[in-house]
Structures are given as structure tokens and as C-alpha cells.
């Protein structure tokens, strides 16, 4: 098939297998160029391992620290006449590179919220690795079926209390326009907490502990975001922010359950980056476009892989996590630097459709978005036929 981007709103319904493989190779090169991570993780379970921050965590652990990795994700396999999802092709490429490097890598494609997948993964983990020393929890999902009750919860991205009016970016056209988002109603908040809060993280860690699948001093890390005041009504103080507060509640509870092992649970606050999950959040893409411009000019811009490499290398592996007052790791530190935020805030006030190209990095936003799906990578002939039925070796 000849594969080209088909963008519908904030998603791309196609993905290029060779482009995704090139994207994986680039991320591996970033980590390898930085050299081995001293005292890095050795046996790692990544829940949400196929795209964005979870994928970058898997790559950083494997290629920075020679870690054996088990990855869990929910992706669409490719067929000869139909594209699979980017996360499928990423995982296929990751496993091939891991095999070349002599690294153990096994993947599970299914609903991480279900008891079935938890049981399958833990059985494989016990059989193959015995125990893991690190568990990364990096799911981003619009819905969750509760494993015990069968109830389906749906997360929403809404402000809490009152409507929120803001500048917003139409990422398809580049137009900057005003939007008003109505506040959460009914049980929107509880539904969002049920999907994106800490309940499922807790179920995973409880199940791993019950199976004696966590090594002494095991760490588990889940990801969160805080960001600037401009996005607080839709993020930090919105429905998703309530879910992230719940994640912190569970982090404190997990700290207690891991203490007998000498283990630790962390919430790491990461940088705002273009991923499949973040492109769905209103207002955030405009902020990201302005942020990228400032941070690229400063030379401090990072993508998921640089963020996750820094998380392992500088915070988790060398005993200097540098938690904030609330006990969170802040790998968003460069984003939140006062002068970076002051510049973004200044530009936020005056940004419009006409000056977006000058004040923001909309081209960078678009290119990052396309790269998520394997488009725009160097060295790929996008006019050539490609095999869309690529297999993930451990799932073949
Ligand atoms: P993403 O959309 O790139 O990745 C989501 C992952 O979850 C994929 O591997 C997907 O297959 C997996 N997944 C979704 N539903 C699943 C299910 N039912 N069963 C198994 N796997 C499933 O998202 P991203 O942005 O990497 O987000 C990961 C975490 O990082 C989230 O907690 C997010 O809030 C957080 N974060 C994201 C930031 C951003 O700017 N993108 C910033 C800071 C934190």
C-alpha cells in the first residue's frame, strides 16, 4: 500500500510502518548518544508502552540501561490492505531493535484496565523475568470498562464550576479563535476520575504485589501535568486535573504498600508535548505552539524521549529525584522556568491567526503531530509501496 496521512480533527487515521520505525530509530539514537544510564532499571513493565511518554520510557529503559521490558498497549494491527495504528508499528519496530541489541522485549495488546490482561501479563512476567524493578503507568484513554462491575466510564475534558472562554488553535487550519467550553455536568468529574485517576494504577500494583512480582526497592511512576495558568481552567483545575489529584492520592497509598519492599511510588510531572492524547485537549495545542518556539530558541526544547531519558538518568537512577513540596518529580522544570513562562504569557495575550507563524511554532507542532504517525521522517520514500501488515514479533 502507499500510505499517506489522513487527518480527521485531532487524529490521523493512517500510520506509516517505515516512518514509525525511523521514528523509533531516532529515539534510540538519542538515548545511545547519551551513553549508558548508571544504576538504571533492569526489568521494566510499561503500561501504555506504544506511543508518547510510555513508549519513550520503554526506549530509555531498554537502550539506556539494557533493561528487559514488558509493554502493554491497546493498538490496531495492520493488514495487507489496511493500516494499523502508529502504536502497533512503533511496537513492532521497538521489538526488532531490542532483539538486535540482545534485549528481552515482550508485548501485550489488549485492555490494560481488564483483569484478563493483568493476569496474562503478570503470569508472563513471573515466568520470564521473575520480578520487575520498575513499573511505568502511562495510560491515556477516553474510556474504561471497570473490571469488576462492567460499568463503562468516559472521561471528558471540561472546566469545573463555570464556563471557560479562551483562545484556541484549530490545528488543521492554523486559525486562532475564541472558544467557550461549558463546565462539567452530572457525574462528569467522577467519570473522568474513574478513567484517568489512580484506581487502575492501584489495581495493577496490588496485583503485582499479590503475585510477588515486584523486586526489592521496586519503583512505580505515573505521569501527570500541571502547566501554566492560561490552561488551568481546562487542565489543572478541570476534570482531568481532578483525575490527576486522584493519581497523587494513589501515589501516597502505594508508597505505603511498597514500603515493606523498600519500594517507592512517584508521580512525575512531565512537559507539555504533542502526543495523541494531548492533541485532543482544547487550548493546549496553542500553548504548545508558543512554548515550542520559546524553548527551541532557548535550546531547552525536549521531546518525549529526552524527557524520559532525563527522568531515568537524572532523577530515578542516581538517587536525586528532587521532589517538589507535594512529593512529585518535576521533569517539567525547564518548561516552567519563570522567564520561559513570562515570554509565553506575553505572546499568549497577542497571538492571532495572522501572527501565529511569527510568535509560535505552528510548523513545529504540525511536524511533531505528523511524526507521531510516521510521516515526515528523513529517508522514507512516502511515494513507495510499503507492507502495512508488519507483525509485532512477540505477538506473532
Ligand atoms: P499517548 O496517547 O501517546 O499514549 C497512551 C498509551 O496508552 C498508548 O500506549 C495506548 O496504547 C495506551 N492505552 C490507551 N488505552 C489503553 C487500554 N485500555 N489498554 C492498554 N493500553 C491503553 O499519551 P501520552 O501523552 O503519552 O500520555 C501518557 C501519560 O502522560 C498520561 O497520563 C498523560 O496525562 C501524561 N502526560 C502527558 C503529557 C503530554 O503533554 N502529552 C504531559 C504530561 C503528562
Amino acid at each position: 500500500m502507499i500510505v499517506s496521512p489522513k487527518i480527521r480533527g485531532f487524529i490521523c487515521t493512517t500510520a506509516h510502518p517505515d516512518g514509525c520505525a525511523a521514528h523509533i530509530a531516532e529515539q534510540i539514537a538519542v538515548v545511545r548518544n547519551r551513553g549508558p544510564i548508571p544504576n538504571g532499571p533492569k526489568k521494566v513493565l510499561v503500561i501504555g508502552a506504544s506511543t508518547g511518554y510510555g513508549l519513550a520510557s520503554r526506549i530509555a529503559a531498554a537502550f539506556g540501561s539494557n533493561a528487559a521490558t514488558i509493554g502493554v498497549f491497546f493498538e490496531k494491527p495492520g493488514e495487507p490492505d489496511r493500516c494499523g495504528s502508529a502504536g502497533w508499528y512503533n511496537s513492532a519496530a521497538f521489538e526488532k531493535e531490542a532483539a538486535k541489541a540482545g534485549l528481552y522485549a515482550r508485548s501485550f495488546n489488549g485492555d490494560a484496565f481488564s483483569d484478563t490482561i493483568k493476569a496474562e501479563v503478570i503470569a508472563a512476567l513471573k515466568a520470564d523475568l521473575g520480578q520487575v524493578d520498575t513499573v511505568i503507568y502511562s495510560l491515556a484513554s477516553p474510556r474504561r470498562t471497570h473490571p469488576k462491575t462492567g460499568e463503562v466510564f468516559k472521561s471528558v475534558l471540561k472546566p469545573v464550576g463555570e464556563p471557560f472562554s479562551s483562545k484556541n488553535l484549530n490545528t488543521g487550519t492554523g486559525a486562532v479563535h475564541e472558544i467557550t467550553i461549558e463546565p462539567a455536568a452530572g457525574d462528569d468529574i467522577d467519570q473522568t476520575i474513574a478513567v484517568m485517576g489512580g484506581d487502575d494504577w492501584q489495581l495493577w500494583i496490588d496485583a503485582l504485589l499479590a503475585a510477588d512480582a515486584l523486586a526489592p526497592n521496586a519503583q512505580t511512576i505515573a505521569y501527570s501535568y500541571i502547566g501554566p495558568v492560561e490552561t488551568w481552567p481546562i487542565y489543572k483545575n478541570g476534570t482531568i486535573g481532578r483525575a490527576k489529584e486522584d493519581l497523587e492520592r494513589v501515589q501516597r497509598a502505594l508508597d505505603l504498600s511498597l514500603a515493606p519492599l523498600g519500594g517507592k511510588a512517584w508521580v512525575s510531572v512531565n512537559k507539555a508535548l504533542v502526543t495523541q492524547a494531548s492533541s485532543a485537549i482544547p487550548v493546549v495545542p496553542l500553548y504548545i505552539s508558543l512554548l515550542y518556539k520559546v524553548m527551541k530558541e532557548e535550546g531547552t526544547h525536549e521531546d518525549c524521549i529526552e524527557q524520559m531519558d532525563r527522568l531515568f538518568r537524572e532523577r530515578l537512577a542516581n538517587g536525586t529525584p528532587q521532589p517538589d513540596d507535594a512529593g512529585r518529580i518535576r521533569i517539567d522544570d525547564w518548561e516552567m522556568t519563570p522567564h520561559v513562562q513570562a515570554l509565553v504569557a506575553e505572546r499568549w495575550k497577542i497571538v492571532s491567526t495572522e501572527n501565529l507563524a511569527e510568535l509560535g511554532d505552528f510548523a513545529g507542532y504540525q511536524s511533531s503531530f505528523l511524526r507521531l504517525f510516521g510521516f515526515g521522517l528523513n529517508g522514507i520514500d512516502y511515494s513507495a509501496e510499503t507492507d502495512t501488515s508488519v507483525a509485532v514479533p512477540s505477538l506473532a
Side-chain angles (χ1 to χ4, degrees):
M1 245 176 98
I2 293 173
V3 184
S4 45
K6 283 204 181 87
I7 297 171
R8 306 260 177 280
F10 51 76
I11 54 168
C12 179
T13 59
T14 52
H16 200 286
D18 311 325
C20 288
H23 197 198
I24 294 290
E26 279 189 14
Q27 293 182 68
I28 292 171
V30 167
V31 176
R32 282 198 167 135
N33 285 339
R34 292 180 177 189
I37 299 176
N39 307 316
K42 289 293 167 226
K43 294 179 182 179
V44 181
L45 168 62
V46 183
I47 303 154
S50 53
T51 56
Y53 274 118
L55 170 66
S57 308
R58 191 177 194 186
I59 294 173
F63 294 93
S65 186
N66 284 329
T69 60
I70 295 183
V72 186
F73 45 77
F74 210 176
E75 300 292 348
K76 192 176 73 180
E79 291 171 23
D81 55 351
R82 207 190 64 183
C83 277
S85 55
W88 180 266
Y89 295 138
N90 289 338
S91 303
F94 171 86
E95 282 200 10
K96 282 174 198 154
E97 292 295 332
K100 270 194 235 162
L103 298 171
Y104 170 97
R106 186 162 172 187
S107 303
F108 291 82
N109 188 34
D111 183 7
F113 296 127
S114 70
D115 284 346
T116 322
I117 278 284
K118 286 186 179 74
E120 267 178 45
V121 170
I122 292 171
L125 184 166
K126 293 284 297 175
D128 293 1
L129 304 177
Q131 294 180 320
V132 288
D133 55 60
T134 305
V135 180
I136 301 290
Y137 189 82
S138 187
L139 290 186
S141 173
R143 69 184 65 78
R144 169 182 176 216
T145 303
H146 195 280
K148 310 290 180 220
T149 64
E151 192 177 348
V152 178
F153 299 103
K154 290 188 178 143
S155 70
V156 295
L157 294 157
K158 290 186 184 173
V160 170
E162 47 191 57
F164 171 46
S165 296
S166 168
K167 285 183 180 176
N168 186 46
L169 172 63
N170 179 327
T171 51
T173 62
V176 177
H177 61 102
E178 279 287 320
I179 49 159
T180 297
I181 309 163
E182 292 305 317
D187 63 354
D188 279 348
I189 297 174
D190 290 342
Q191 294 258 340
T192 307
I193 291 173
V195 181
M196 288 298 288
D199 188 48
D200 182 62
W201 184 24
Q202 171 120 44
L203 291 177
W204 268 102
I205 299 301
D206 287 350
L208 288 158
L209 279 169
D212 190 26
L214 296 179
N217 307 316
Q219 308 195 73
T220 182
I221 307 102
Y223 299 139
S224 185
Y225 183 64
I226 295 178
V229 284
E230 284 79 5
T231 63
W232 279 7
I234 190 71
Y235 203 99
K236 177 175 168 288
N237 298 337
T239 48
I240 181 74
R242 294 293 177 92
K244 294 300 186 188
E245 278 171 22
D246 187 64
L247 203 64
E248 290 183 31
R249 173 189 67 76
V250 168
Q251 176 268 320
R252 291 186 291 270
L254 293 180
D255 252 0
L256 298 179
S257 31
L258 293 175
L261 283 180
K264 180 85 186 82
W266 291 106
V267 165
S268 171
V269 182
N270 300 343
K271 179 191 179 193
L273 282 174
V274 182
T275 65
Q276 293 187 40
S278 72
S279 24
I281 308 175
V283 183
V284 167
L286 180 59
Y287 167 71
I288 289 181
S289 299
L290 297 179
L291 179 74
Y292 275 25
K293 177 90 172 189
V294 172
M295 294 189 80
K296 284 179 183 175
E297 281 168 358
E298 286 236 326
T300 54
H301 175 70
E302 298 171 295
D303 215 324
C304 290
I305 194 62
E306 288 86 358
Q307 278 266 297
M308 294 299 94
D309 180 87
R310 195 153 67 89
L311 175 66
F312 281 117
R313 198 179 290 274
E314 295 182 12
R315 304 300 177 87
L316 292 171
N318 69 359
T320 52
Q322 303 167 36
D324 67 9
D325 293 345
R328 301 169 296 219
I329 293 178
R330 302 299 298 266
I331 208 79
D332 66 338
D333 47 353
W334 297 352
E335 167 184 359
M336 298 315 290
T337 309
H339 69 270
V340 168
Q341 285 301 318
L343 257 179
V344 172
E346 215 172 87
R347 295 177 184 179
W348 181 273
K349 284 190 205 124
I350 53 173
V351 68
S352 64
T353 307
E354 291 67 37
N355 63 21
L356 176 64
E358 180 198 337
L359 297 181
D361 182 25
F362 180 50
Y365 183 96
Q366 283 183 304
S367 133
S368 293
F369 179 78
L370 285 170
R371 287 165 58 84
L372 298 177
F373 303 93
F375 298 109
L377 276 292
N378 285 336
I380 304 296
D381 179 359
Y382 289 98
S383 64
E385 291 277 340
T386 180
D387 176 12
T388 48
S389 64
V390 177
V392 176
S394 74
L395 294 171

